[in-house]
Amino acid sequence: MARDSYAQKTQQRSSRGKSLVRATAMCRGEGVGYVAFETLVPSAELAAIARVKGGGQVPCDLIPHDGPGSWVAVVPLLAKEITIDVLMEGQVIGRLEFPALRSKVRSRLLTATKPQIAQALRGMEQRVRWGWPLVQITEAFPSTEGNVVWRVRASFPTDDATLPVGLEAFDDRGVRLSATVFVLEDHVVPNVRDASQEERLVTCSCVLPESVQSFYVIASLTDDQTLAGFAGMNAPRAQGMLADARLRIAGAAADSEYGLWFQTHRVTKAELERQRRMAAELDAAKAPLISVVMPVFRPDAAFVREAIESVLRQSYGQWELVVVNASGACEPVDAVLRGVSDTRVRVLEVENRSIAENTNAGIAAAQGDYVAFLDHDDVLEPDALWHYVQAIGQNSQVDLLYCDEDRLGEGGVRTPAFKTFPNYGKLYTHNYITHLLMVSRFVLDHTERTDVALSGAQDYDLTLKAFEVARNVVHVPRVLYHWRDHEGSTAGGGDQKPYAHEAGRNALEAHLARRGIAAYVVDGPLPYTYDVRYELTDFLPKVSIVIPTRDHPDLLSACVCSILERSTYARFQIVLVENGSQDERTFALYDQLCARDDRVRVVTWEPPEPGAFNYSALVNYGVEHTSGEYVVLLNNDTEVIEPEWIEELLRCFARPEVGVVGAKLLYADGLVQHVGLVANPNGDFCHVCQNVEGGALGPAYAVAMPGDYSMVTGACQMVRRSVFDELGGYSERLAVGFNDGDFCLRARERGYVSTVAAHAVLYHREFASRGRERTDARLRERYLSEKGRMLVRHAEFFSAGDAVLNPNLDGFGTYFELGE
């Protein structure tokens, strides 16, 4: 009675124009603004309606704060003033304002005078209690045509998975933007704060022009937005997120901190002295003679002097430097050479012919057990030969060695090339070996010298030939070579020596012919890069596509229809492995697909226990019912983009060492989901270059060009049926996770290679049909159990570390970023 009387009096005061609310603080956060206020009705349930000045309604959250009658209104940051009407039982009891300009002043003042209050207000919408929708703009990635892909994550306090997902974007004046929206993930999971409650987690992509940097998004599950939340973005934060994404995506090669990193990682004076003492104590029989061949043709005298001095400074002393001087009468070069008194330096005067012939002359004159190659304007680190000899000491049958390198210019060192393990997949796209190339006498005795027609690519030609005969190839993961970047050098750009590009293509074609691989080579996306096109003229095997599936008929329909409608390769069959579907639409779809095309069939897997799920068992069961020479294991949440995807996968098997082939998979927003798997130091599998724009080159060219990896994802994985049978299929002890990587690692143990066909492109709606372990506690126990089995089964691999990742890089990064 007394309470009703009080409420009536407060409504009467409000009706007479007397506000029942009083603003107590105001500040700005990252994309949102906060107005703290008090009300004269402490126990009342309040609502709020916010409007932009001269415009329509904008979102506003009311959050209880700091005791009865204390609230905070949260609104997006706009370029115009916002008015906030506070309502009690549908009646306006007061109005608050959030002015665009004055809010900046008041926010700075609050931060300066009452920092604890400002800190408590900022981000409070992210710390609210269970029962509130929570929306976050989590990531930004540059995309095509000047667009940005913004990733938005929303959690809703509901277990209703049928409510439609909505996402809208508005500019800083409250005007709706024309945004392209994709729903990437949508799952009902236990709440992280209270496992007895469930919440619905939704991840979306929102594609906007990069020019839009101040905006807000509203995520909702109902048309009337009664179950909705919002998140804001301001220009400074947007610019920071984009700059950070671009820096990470560029990888180590573009890291501005590389010069400092190198100085802290290069050899110390004390270590050099230790190496010299140990080298002097080596048994002569165990100290191989290293011949360094350096063709010289009229370089800058200072450059050639520095190159020679870098050899003279080597901590390992059992070397000879063969200077093949083709400069003719050139006093600056002659003066440098006359000034060298070390007897280990031999100068071979030759008539200038071609770089290939001059190099061959140096090889013929070399007396060493190993021959290394140094350009006349480049520089070796003083411990370069020491580390090479150490590698030889660990394996006497090493026949080719290479190391990491960088570019040397007027400003110092930059653009490091941290190389990967020896693999044909990358070598067929460009000469990633380059410097410091060193080969054994065994290689030289078993290969022919480079023909004059391949001048400019003599190093690539020798590398390819060495790969053909080498007993072991070793990568020394240290920056030991500095490639000088100056006008006239290929380090300075692709237009310096166009003949070298053509020579490289010819050398690669000749190598493929020697291996008996039917292929031709076209230009890659950059100078000195190539694209090997393997012939399929006499190679048209039957391909069996196995798709395990349970419900999600919309996903399955898109997947199978894209195969039937877009694939240019016709000799295939599709085996759908039914596994406990409940949705009647799924069985109707099976009938439709089988009736549409007789290449489609359905087989039903019966689990050992009702409701059990074992993806590996589904795969094995499906493969048992195939008749193709090659098998594609395909997820039901994929969709074909490239019509020749089957041909592109098949072409990789022209390389006899290839056992498993993966595809380039993209999210619906066009960003990369998969171009190869690596294992991080914790034993988790990570997708390299994830969220890079699908048409970009990517760090280390990993998005645009093929390459070999330790593993490729089973979301789209082609394998020879004979190899699948040889390995005993997927391990059924790994029911859900790690089974695809385990399969690749077991293939690796048998001598097979896993590679990625960069031109076989599909969409993959990853986790669309099953949850993500890190957001679903129910899946985490199983994940950790299967991870443990993986670590035990492949202990040697995990102990050594994934060779795809250079140890100088961040083992937990996905963009080949600089390590510690």
Side-chain angles (χ1 to χ4, degrees), residues 560-693:
V560 176
C561 290
S562 73
I563 298 171
L564 297 176
E565 296 168 6
R566 299 174 194 166
S567 300
T568 53
Y569 194 87
R571 195 160 183 250
F572 66 81
Q573 67 173 162
I574 299 174
V575 176
L576 305 178
V577 186
E578 155 59 25
N579 166 44
S581 295
Q582 302 294 319
D583 192 333
E584 289 299 323
R585 295 177 302 159
T586 302
F587 299 99
L589 177 63
Y590 292 159
D591 294 339
Q592 293 168 12
L593 294 173
C594 293
R596 172 180 176 176
D597 197 305
D598 60 9
R599 292 174 295 181
V600 181
R601 63 180 296 209
V602 179
V603 297
T604 300
W605 178 72
E606 297 294 342
E609 299 177 4
F613 178 76
N614 188 312
Y615 184 81
S616 295
L618 290 168
V619 165
N620 294 340
Y621 184 77
V623 173
E624 288 176 7
H625 290 79
T626 63
S627 56
E629 301 162 64
Y630 289 79
V631 175
V632 175
L633 309 178
L634 192 66
N635 281 13
N636 65 350
D637 53 3
T638 57
E639 187 176 341
V640 172
I641 299 175
E642 168 53 50
E644 292 191 10
W645 70 286
I646 296 178
E647 293 95 325
E648 292 294 343
L649 294 172
L650 277 173
R651 286 186 175 109
C652 295
F653 290 99
R655 291 171 51 196
E657 68 274 9
V658 169
V660 187
V661 181
K664 179 195 289 187
L665 303 179
L666 307 180
Y667 290 114
D669 55 23
L671 303 186
V672 168
Q673 188 269 322
H674 169 269
V675 288
L677 282 176
V678 295
N680 71 19
N682 281 348
D684 296 307
F685 294 168
C686 303
H687 292 276
V688 300
C689 298
Q690 196 164 72
N691 294 315
V692 175
E693 200 279 310

Side-chain angles (χ1 to χ4, degrees), residues 219-238:
S220 63
L221 289 184
T222 54
D223 294 335
D224 60 2
Q225 295 190 348
T226 55
L227 194 57
F230 80 96
M233 177 63 60
N234 57 14
R237 184 184 175 212

Side-chain angles (χ1 to χ4, degrees), residues 288-365:
L289 176 63
I290 308 298
S291 295
V292 180
V293 172
M294 184 175 73
V296 174
F297 180 73
R298 302 193 172 191
D300 184 298
F303 293 167
V304 73
R305 180 182 296 108
E306 193 172 352
I308 293 173
E309 289 175 351
S310 74
V311 179
L312 295 174
R313 288 195 296 267
Q314 291 300 303
S315 60
Y316 179 77
Q318 289 292 100
W319 55 262
E320 65 168 355
L321 174 60
V322 181
V323 179
V324 185
N325 185 21
S327 302
C330 182
E331 178 54 27
V333 172
D334 291 341
V336 172
L337 297 180
R338 286 196 302 268
V340 180
S341 59
D342 195 306
T343 58
R344 293 172 296 180
V345 179
R346 294 193 290 125
V347 179
L348 181 65
E349 299 286 349
V350 300
E351 179 183 352
N352 183 45
R353 297 183 181 279
S354 66
I355 183 60
E357 291 169 291
N358 296 347
T359 301
N360 290 343
I363 293 172

